[in-house]
Amino acid sequence: MKDNDIKRLLYTHLLCIFSIILSVFIPSLFLENFSILETHLTWLCICSGFVTAVNLVLYLVVKPNTSSKRSSLSHKVTRFLKCCIYFLMSCFSFHVIFVLYGAPLIELALETFLFAVILSTFTTVPCLCLLGPNLKAWLRVFSRNGVTSIWENSLQITTISSFVGAWLGALPIPLDWERPWQVWPISCTLGATFGYVAGLVISPLWIYWNRKQLTYKNN
């Protein structure tokens, strides 16, 4: 494993973190009374757009899984459409799961769906950028000893940390603290965001610390 690969991974993760920071500060320059708590749904849409755009740009620039075969235009269009379908399926699947776990079915449905969108942005979008719409590759990466690169190792960590952050964010909701961030689904989305950022920071450090023990099939 080359240290340059780890540095490249670190730089891409820093840009992803920077995209979240921009989603907080740039809209406040153009939107009156913009804030994460007061205009939470607007921020969710903006943050999702920023993170998705940065992931797509990084994929086009870095190309960690570059194929030796040139794809035709029709293949690229088909792949893009499949990725869009996978993303929408992820959003609706998360929405259903949230409802099954106690989220309001009809009331606050938009809030629940946008929570599903932001969680899909943190988990599904990186998978689609790195692995494409390939369920076999997804199952391989998230199975034991299934990763073949540091990028897939990082994908494991950031995805799991996003889920854990969203779950931890739900814990304060039933508590009688009467805080504004306890309103559904603010604490969950903040938890998912902090979990995603934590994964982006932890994964390069963990990979660097364990670089001598890590071996991959394609190395």
Side-chain angles (χ1 to χ4, degrees):
M1 183 188 304
K2 298 180 181 179
D3 288 345
N4 288 337
D5 294 333
I6 301 178
K7 289 181 181 179
R8 187 170 59 162
L9 177 67
L10 176 61
Y11 294 150
T12 57
H13 282 197
L14 290 176
L15 287 175
C16 290
I17 295 174
F18 188 59
S19 69
I20 295 179
I21 297 174
L22 289 179
S23 72
V24 176
F25 291 102
I26 289 185
S28 62
L29 301 176
F30 304 97
L31 300 177
E32 188 177 356
N33 299 323
F34 176 84
S35 69
I36 294 179
L37 297 182
E38 297 298 329
T39 55
H40 189 65
L41 299 185
T42 302
W43 176 76
L44 287 181
C45 297
I46 295 174
C47 182
S48 178
F50 272 60
V51 173
T52 300
V54 168
N55 270 275
L56 291 175
V57 171
L58 290 175
Y59 168 74
L60 294 174
V61 173
V62 178
K63 296 181 180 179
N65 282 348
T66 305
S67 175
S68 59
K69 298 180 179 179
R70 292 186 177 181
S71 301
S72 63
L73 178 60
S74 61
H75 179 269
K76 292 180 179 179
V77 171
T78 302
R79 179 186 173 93
F80 175 75
L81 292 177
K82 284 184 178 180
C83 288
C84 293
I85 293 173
Y86 273 49
F87 179 75
L88 290 176
M89 289 175 59
S90 173
C91 295
F92 285 111
S93 297
F94 282 143
H95 184 97
V96 172
I97 292 173
F98 298 153
V99 171
L100 293 177
Y101 272 87
L105 177 60
I106 299 177
E107 187 181 4
L108 303 178
L110 178 60
E111 287 82 349
T112 302
F113 182 73
L114 289 180
F115 174 33
V117 169
I118 198 69
L119 189 58
S120 295
T121 301
F122 294 151
T123 58
T124 306
V125 168
C127 289
L128 290 172
C129 288
L130 186 63
L131 306 174
N134 186 343
L135 288 180
K136 289 183 179 180
W138 292 28
L139 294 175
R140 173 184 57 77
V141 169
F142 292 100
S143 64
R144 185 177 181 180
N145 301 324
V147 297
T148 60
S149 68
I150 63 173
W151 300 92
E152 294 178 356
N153 245 145
S154 172
L155 191 61
Q156 281 184 333
I157 296 173
T158 55
T159 300
I160 293 173
S161 63
S162 298
F163 285 131
V164 172
W167 178 75
L168 292 176
L171 298 181
I173 292 179
L175 300 179
D176 190 19
W177 293 347
E178 297 183 356
R179 302 291 183 180
W181 49 266
Q182 286 181 275
V183 177
W184 172 260
I186 295 178
S187 63
C188 292
T189 57
L190 294 179
T193 304
F194 286 125
Y196 177 64
V197 172
L200 291 173
V201 174
I202 292 171
S203 56
L205 299 178
W206 183 87
I207 291 171
Y208 179 78
W209 184 265
N210 296 277
R211 66 191 183 282
K212 294 182 180 179
Q213 290 79 28
L214 293 174
T215 57
Y216 301 109
K217 297 177 182 178
N218 61 339
N219 284 350

